[in-house]
Amino acid sequence: MDERRELRVQKIKDGTVIDHITAGYALDVLRILGLTGKEGLTISVVMNVPSHKLGLKDIVKIEGKELVESEVHKIALIAPNATINIIRDYEVLSKMKVKIPDILVGLVKCGNPSCISNSHEPIKPVFHVISKDPLLIQCHYCRRIMDRNDALLNLI
Amino acid sequence: MVSPKDFVGRDVLSILDFNREELDYIMDVADEVERNMDAYRGLLSGKTMAILFFEPSTRTRLSFEAAMKKLGGLTLDMGEPTRASIEKGETLTDTIRVVQNYADLIVLRHPKEGAAKLAAEVADIPVINGGSGAEEHPTQAMLDLYTIRRCKKRIDGLRIGILGDLKYGRTTHSLAYALSNYDVKLYLVSPELLRMRREVLRHISGRIEVQELESIDQVLPELDVLYVTRIQKERFVDESEYLKVKGSYRVTIDTLSKMKKDAIIMHPLPRVDEIAIEVDSTPNAVYFKQVYYGLLTRMSIISLVLGALSGK
Ligand SMILES: Nc1ncnc2c1ncn2[C@@H]1O[C@H](COP(=O)(O)OP(=O)(O)OP(=O)(O)O)[C@@H](O)[C@H]1O
Ligand SMILES: [Mg+2]
Ligand SMILES: [Zn+2]
């Protein structure tokens, strides 16, 4: 590759690289992780770069952060091809592909304002995944069907 | 083969929980109830049904109460919810935990969608959904099916129009689901703003022939059944939206003149002005018979769920 055309981002020592994010969704991934930039973590965000598998993709690299399961599931909803790379001492220690679970518990709230899950009952919102690609999820309570966009708008 | 045992202890939350054989069976029992009313009179003595209506209703409440009492059972009615009791803010979860100690069966009407599902998960006794928000009203759909079967002697092969508020009208959702078990052609007729919910359409369009229309006129001569609904004013979030569609359709003698002689006109009641009073006295108007068929249908479903017929 032509060195002059390559922008080198500093490698991270320990942290997480979220690769193969659906192009344009990197900022949503940061939002899912609750990262605003003001936490002081070193973060690099790459958007709309060429990818062999996806055409274009986004990448997010976060120094000093490990993801919890619910975060991985939420990322899967908006970026179903994402891979999560754990970096230790500059090397890729492990790599996993995100996976949309069959049932989403407490990850997304129901977009139907009249749904019982949006009132003060002692329950978490529950969705059944009826299709992973394209994403279609159905509220366990009111049976409202939501797509990827609705899910993104209602992430908890 | 469906048997009464299949219904014992079951919740009636959505019409989707019942397949065609089960729906047919519920209707067969309704026929049987009518034929042998005397034999059914004491069937549920010692049983109690709690009626929890968190939304104003007279018709459905009375229908359930009459059905239970005609079977010799007791009813416990929470009464009209007052603003005060709602504002005190007890959760539905807690209400159900309390009430289930007093009853063998709960009938719930609630403004929130999915409320019956939640109640059923909390309760150890069966829950019948008596209407949840704009979502569903399964026993209404059962009685609508039964009315069609009684008046037309069959359901398969009919052409059925559902006219009106298909967005907020929960009876239209449940009826469309119910009819998708049969071989019917369904016309969904509504103003653009009040089109059928997409989850309902998604479910039924793979199962039966469905056509969406904005005006009923062109299909009137084909219809065997015209099911008319009221615009659900109280469910509109935006008053100006309501004003746009208010009064946008009306069934009159003139409408009937364009229909088959033996077509029937149905309505879940209460009606506002969607059906002219002059239609009431025609043989086509069956909306008051629907009330009677509703009683038989609810007697059937209550008996089945409480297991009163499974000894036979
Ligand atoms: N120390 C590091 N600092 C920053 N980014 C890193 C580091 N190590 C690897 N990466 C990035 O993590 C991602 C995965 O690295 P890997 O070496 O596994 O690439 P790959 O073989 O292309 O993986 P894949 O098959 O998942 O595309 C790449 O985007 C890579 O640039
Ligand atoms: Mg790669
Ligand atoms: Zn819901």
Side-chain angles (χ1 to χ4, degrees), chain B residues 27-40:
Chain B
M27 293 191 273
D28 294 344
V29 171
D31 282 342
E32 168 72 14
V33 169
E34 184 182 50
R35 268 196 306 271
N36 286 313
M37 197 59 101
D38 281 339
Y40 281 82

Side-chain angles (χ1 to χ4, degrees), chain A residues 11-12 17 19-20 53 61 83 85 87 90 92 95:
Chain A
K11 286 207 151 198
I12 56 180
V17 173
D19 196 358
H20 306 294
K53 293 175 201 161
K61 306 185 179 193
T83 43
N85 300 276
I87 309 295
Y90 300 105
V92 176
K95 180 193 297 283

Side-chain angles (χ1 to χ4, degrees), chain B residues 246-287:
Chain B
K246 181 174 176 269
S248 53
Y249 54 90
R250 187 168 155 83
V251 172
T252 62
I253 291 285
D254 184 49
T255 317
L256 279 187
S257 71
K258 296 174 188 137
M259 299 180 71
K260 290 183 186 169
K261 280 254 160 327
D262 62 349
I264 57 170
I265 310 290
M266 297 173 65
H267 193 297
L269 304 179
R271 123 183 88 169
V272 186
D273 55 6
E274 334 55 64
I275 302 182
I277 305 222
E278 65 205 27
V279 175
D280 298 0
S281 54
T282 67
N284 311 83
V286 302
Y287 28 93

Side-chain angles (χ1 to χ4, degrees), chain A residues 18 72-73 75-77 79-84 96-100:
Chain A
I18 308 163
V72 175
H73 287 159
I75 291 170
L77 294 180
N81 298 304
T83 43
I84 313 263
M96 70 171 220
K97 202 169 170 331
V98 297
K99 195 168 170 293
I100 299 172

Side-chain angles (χ1 to χ4, degrees), chain A residues 112 114 116 121 140 143 145, chain B residues 14 92-93 113-114 121 198:
Chain A
N112 174 3
S114 302
I116 190 78
E121 300 298 326
H140 175 69
R143 300 185 197 237
I145 294 174
Chain B
S14 165
L92 176 62
T93 305
E113 298 176 23
E121 286 180 351
R198 66 177 173 162

Side-chain angles (χ1 to χ4, degrees), chain B residues 6-22:
Chain B
D6 301 334
F7 296 89
V8 181
R10 249 171 97 170
D11 300 308
V12 182
L13 305 180
S14 165
I15 196 74
L16 292 174
D17 300 336
F18 295 85
N19 63 31
R20 174 178 176 147
E21 289 65 38
E22 291 169 334

Side-chain angles (χ1 to χ4, degrees), chain B residues 104-292:
Chain B
D104 304 288
L105 172 67
I106 291 173
V107 181
L108 176 76
R109 169 169 289 195
H110 199 280
K112 296 285 180 187
E113 298 176 23
K117 179 82 176 172
L118 171 64
E121 286 180 351
V122 173
D124 299 323
I125 58 176
V127 172
I128 297 181
N129 182 1
S132 45
E135 182 192 23
E136 269 218 64
H137 195 350
T139 61
Q140 176 76 42
M142 291 171 185
L143 79 87
D144 290 338
L145 279 185
Y146 186 55
T147 302
I148 295 172
R149 190 171 105 168
R150 288 289 298 252
C151 295
K152 305 298 300 178
K153 309 286 177 253
R154 64 191 170 116
I155 298 173
D156 287 320
L158 297 179
R159 289 169 182 258
I160 299 171
I162 307 184
L163 170 66
D165 186 347
L166 311 185
K167 180 174 180 192
Y168 298 107
R170 57 190 169 202
T171 62
T172 71
H173 307 150
S174 293
L175 178 59
Y177 284 137
L179 288 171
S180 73
N181 287 294
Y182 296 84
D183 177 21
V184 297
K185 169 144 197 202
L186 197 55
Y187 295 101
L188 299 174
V189 190
S190 70
E192 170 70 24
L193 273 174
L194 300 178
R195 279 176 58 180
M196 182 56 87
R197 291 187 167 200
R198 66 177 173 162
E199 61 260 37
V200 180
L201 269 181
R202 183 176 185 273
H203 181 90
I204 64 173
S205 48
R207 298 160 59 97
I208 53 171
E209 201 180 333
V210 183
Q211 194 180 335
E212 289 188 273
L213 300 164
E214 278 191 50
S215 160
I216 190 81
D217 296 340
Q218 68 218 70
V219 294
L220 280 175
E222 276 186 48
L223 295 180
D224 300 296
V225 177
L226 177 58
Y227 191 96
V228 187
T229 62
R230 170 178 77 87
I231 294 181
Q232 304 280 313
K233 181 178 183 202
E234 65 280 14
R235 303 203 192 277
F236 278 74
V237 186
D238 183 349
E239 166 95 24
S240 69
E241 297 266 286
Y242 170 68
L243 293 174
K244 276 188 219 158
V245 291
K246 181 174 176 269
S248 53
Y249 54 90
R250 187 168 155 83
V251 172
T252 62
I253 291 285
D254 184 49
T255 317
L256 279 187
S257 71
K258 296 174 188 137
M259 299 180 71
K260 290 183 186 169
K261 280 254 160 327
D262 62 349
I264 57 170
I265 310 290
M266 297 173 65
H267 193 297
L269 304 179
R271 123 183 88 169
V272 186
D273 55 6
E274 334 55 64
I275 302 182
I277 305 222
E278 65 205 27
V279 175
D280 298 0
S281 54
T282 67
N284 311 83
V286 302
Y287 28 93
F288 293 109
K289 277 191 201 162
Q290 233 172 306
V291 176
Y292 170 63

Side-chain angles (χ1 to χ4, degrees), chain A residues 109-118 125-127 138-146, chain B residues 113-114 135:
Chain A
K109 78 176 177 53
C110 184
N112 174 3
S114 302
C115 179
I116 190 78
S117 69
N118 284 319
V126 176
F127 282 85
Q138 182 161 39
C139 175
H140 175 69
Y141 294 100
C142 75
R143 300 185 197 237
R144 167 75 59 101
I145 294 174
M146 306 210 301
Chain B
E113 298 176 23
E135 182 192 23

